[in-house]
Amino acid sequence: MSTDDQTTAYNAPVLEFKSGSFSVPALILSGNDLQLIEQQLQDKIRLAPEFFKNSPVIIDLKELTRQSLNIDIALITEIARKLGLLPIGIRGGTLQQNKEALDLRIPVYSNNSRTTATGTQIATQTTPDVSQKKDAVPTAMVITQPIRSGQRLYAHGDLVILAQVSAGAEILAEGNIHVYGALRGRALAGVQGNTDARIFCTHLQAELISIAGNYKISEDLAKTIYNKPVHIYLKDYTLVIKEL
Amino acid sequence: MARIIVVTSGKGGVGKTTTSAAIAMGLAKKGHKTAVIDFDVGLRNLDLIMGCERRVVYDFINVVNGEATLHQALIKDKNCSQLYILPASQTRDKDALSKEGVEKVLEELSKTFKYIVCDSPAGIEKGAHLAMYFADDAFVVTNPEVSSVRDSDRMLGLMSSKSRRAEQNQEPIKEYLLLSRYSPDRVKLGEMLSVEDVQEILSLPLLGVIPESKSVLNASNAGIPIILDEKSDAGQAYADIVARYLGEDKPHRFIEDKKGFFGKLFGGK
């Protein structure tokens, strides 16, 4: 029994890489006088001691590098630690400073703060991403009752309506919208910005149609497609209405 | 258990009270014990149309508040012994109604009555909401005119989401369309929506068409429900409606012009 337990324990994954984004304050230096820095930093911390206590911090050297001012990484991290901060990286430093930091086992972040992380992210995230997407695809919401004036319907995925949508009603979907009946109200597809979302309906009489925020009101709709079965999609940020 | 019918429309002046009085009388005349309740607190009219305004002692609000018993407040109709009227209060407003109070009254009425007709006030506020909240069937009174149709559609939406049946996930309220003040002449001239137009917009089963008629105004002023005027076309229309509601198969009338013979002959609709 005990051996069995051990083998299972051995095979079971005990770790997993996941990407996370954390907000960490950056300490932006614009001068290299260590005494002055210590003084001013102390003053700042005194304003909110609890906030800064054991707070992780990234030391931003961009401004110093721009001004060609040098600073000793070991000394500045020492000052930060002394005042209760926990330096967890530098960014915007020179090659020399980056090397110093790594020697002190302090990570180096690139200026736009994300690129260093992305490499590992892509590598470790491939598998979980796929499974997540599979779970995340929401099933279509199917409605068989008429949507009356004043009613509002929101679907997280696709929305299929097997009845009419009255004037003054509003249907919204993050995915596509299908209306098998007269569409007289407002229909908004891709409301979370999905520009690939489409609207299908058998009788177009809508007050407003919109895909990912690009909309047309009833007045803008051509008379030739009024009450016709149509298919509406987005092409170069313009709504295209095609008769089916 | 009684069947609770709400007569509603959203829009005002389309004939809700006239319809409530007529169908309540119609059901009672067919031998079913019927109560008709005026939900239009503050603008009570049903008692006028029913011709019993001088016999009002207690009202709906008194019963809701426990100031009078249901028995004390119900007025027996002088034309039909099977019909009782529960009038609204003229001195209060719609906020005097509560869901619990209305429920209690309806429950008590359900014990002895076969049908309870609730005459809804116009609008979609508290009075109208409470009138339809407990309903089993809805008679949606609509005039052949766009704003009335739109308001009816709104009311239908509320009934399918804010009624007790909707909230408790029961079978939805059965909805019927009553097209009132219909005038085939004006439809032909394009001044009015046709039955087909209204039905297409609302997609509701049509219970009946009530033609525009002078006799309705006369009956209202006289305090006699129009259904008792058997000679008038509107009275006949309501009699048909009651019969159809009770399951009789009656062909629709008053949709076409009476003088439509030549029209039909020459292919006009």
Side-chain angles (χ1 to χ4, degrees), chain A residues 145-151 164 166-168 182 184 205 207 227, chain B residues 150 153-158 160-161 172 175 200-204:
Chain A
Q145 294 291 313
I147 311 297
R148 302 288 185 184
S149 183
Q151 287 186 307
Q164 63 170 358
S166 292
R184 301 196 181 94
Q205 302 174 30
E207 292 173 335
N227 212 15
Chain B
R150 177 71 62 91
D153 194 52
R154 177 88 170 101
M155 203 63 222
L156 287 162
L158 291 174
S160 61
S161 56
E175 299 151 341
E200 201 198 305
I201 299 172
L202 294 178
S203 54
L204 277 190

Side-chain angles (χ1 to χ4, degrees), chain B:
Chain B
M1 253 327 248
R3 195 88 187 154
I4 301 172
I5 303 167
V6 62
V7 178
T8 189
S9 70
K11 196 173 184 297
V14 296
K16 282 182 296 298
T17 303
T18 302
T19 300
S20 299
I23 61 156
M25 179 62 82
L27 289 166
K29 293 269 278 183
K30 291 257 182 190
H32 304 293
K33 197 172 177 195
T34 303
V36 55
I37 307 176
D38 192 349
F39 273 78
D40 205 348
V41 180
L43 290 169
R44 89 174 196 224
N45 283 154
L46 181 69
D47 49 322
L48 292 173
I49 309 280
M50 301 288 298
C52 65
E53 79 277 10
R54 288 189 292 176
R55 289 191 288 149
V56 175
V57 184
Y58 294 109
D59 57 48
F60 191 16
I61 300 296
N62 292 137
V63 181
V64 165
N65 291 344
E67 294 151 4
T69 64
L70 199 52
H71 181 73
Q72 285 174 305
L74 281 172
I75 302 169
K76 192 174 181 175
D77 187 80
K78 52 183 186 272
N79 292 302
C80 182
S81 62
Q82 294 286 66
L83 180 61
Y84 289 81
I85 299 123
L86 185 56
S89 168
Q90 182 73 344
T91 52
R92 307 293 292 273
D93 61 41
K94 270 126 192 132
D95 293 331
L97 289 173
S98 68
K99 201 176 268 182
E100 297 71 31
V102 172
E103 185 175 21
K104 225 174 70 196
V105 172
L106 290 175
E107 248 170 39
E108 207 179 326
L109 285 171
S110 289
K111 287 177 197 155
T112 44
F113 286 87
K114 181 82 189 291
Y115 290 103
I116 302 168
V117 178
C118 301
D119 180 22
S120 172
I124 54 172
E125 279 76 41
K126 197 171 184 187
H129 180 236
L130 287 174
M132 66 83 170
Y133 186 77
F134 298 99
D136 301 307
D137 298 316
F139 286 12
V140 180
V141 184
T142 306
N143 285 172
E145 168 252 332
V146 280
S147 61
S148 172
V149 173
R150 177 71 62 91
D151 291 358
S152 293
D153 194 52
R154 177 88 170 101
M155 203 63 222
L156 287 162
L158 291 174
M159 284 193 287
S160 61
S161 56
K162 298 269 166 68
S163 63
R164 180 168 68 175
R165 280 173 173 268
E167 284 176 7
Q168 296 181 355
N169 259 331
Q170 295 172 334
E171 196 187 321
I173 296 176
K174 261 206 175 123
E175 299 151 341
Y176 301 94
L177 173 65
L178 274 73
L179 201 54
S180 62
R181 311 193 70 165
Y182 195 74
S183 147
D185 289 348
R186 300 189 62 191
V187 171
K188 212 178 276 172
L189 291 171
E191 296 173 351
M192 236 181 214
L193 296 176
S194 69
V195 178
E196 292 81 30
D197 292 339
V198 178
Q199 268 197 288
E200 201 198 305
I201 299 172
L202 294 178
S203 54
L204 277 190
L206 180 70
L207 197 57
V209 172
I210 304 110
E212 172 81 74
S213 165
K214 279 183 195 136
S215 49
V216 171
L217 190 63
N218 291 335
S220 293
N221 288 335
I224 301 161
I226 183 69
I227 199 166
L228 295 175
D229 184 354
E230 284 162 18
K231 285 199 194 86
S232 74
D233 43 6
Q236 292 171 21
Y238 278 116
D240 283 4
I241 285 168
V242 171
R244 271 185 217 115
Y245 174 70
L246 293 173
E248 284 177 48
D249 189 18
K250 290 245 178 195
H252 282 287
R253 294 194 275 169
F254 314 110
I255 294 177
E256 307 241 323
D257 202 340
K258 270 175 281 182
K259 297 165 282 188
F261 177 69
F262 286 105
K264 274 182 211 153
L265 210 62
F266 295 110
K269 205 185 170 189

Side-chain angles (χ1 to χ4, degrees), chain A residues 58-59 61 73 88-93 97-98 101 106-110:
Chain A
I58 288 172
I59 298 166
L61 306 167
I73 301 300
I88 57 158
I90 65 159
R91 73 173 179 194
Q97 285 168 330
N98 288 353
I106 290 173
V108 175
Y109 292 91
S110 78

Side-chain angles (χ1 to χ4, degrees), chain A residues 79-95:
Chain A
I79 288 169
R81 286 205 183 102
K82 201 167 75 186
L83 295 173
L85 297 174
L86 300 173
I88 57 158
I90 65 159
R91 73 173 179 194
T94 59
L95 287 173

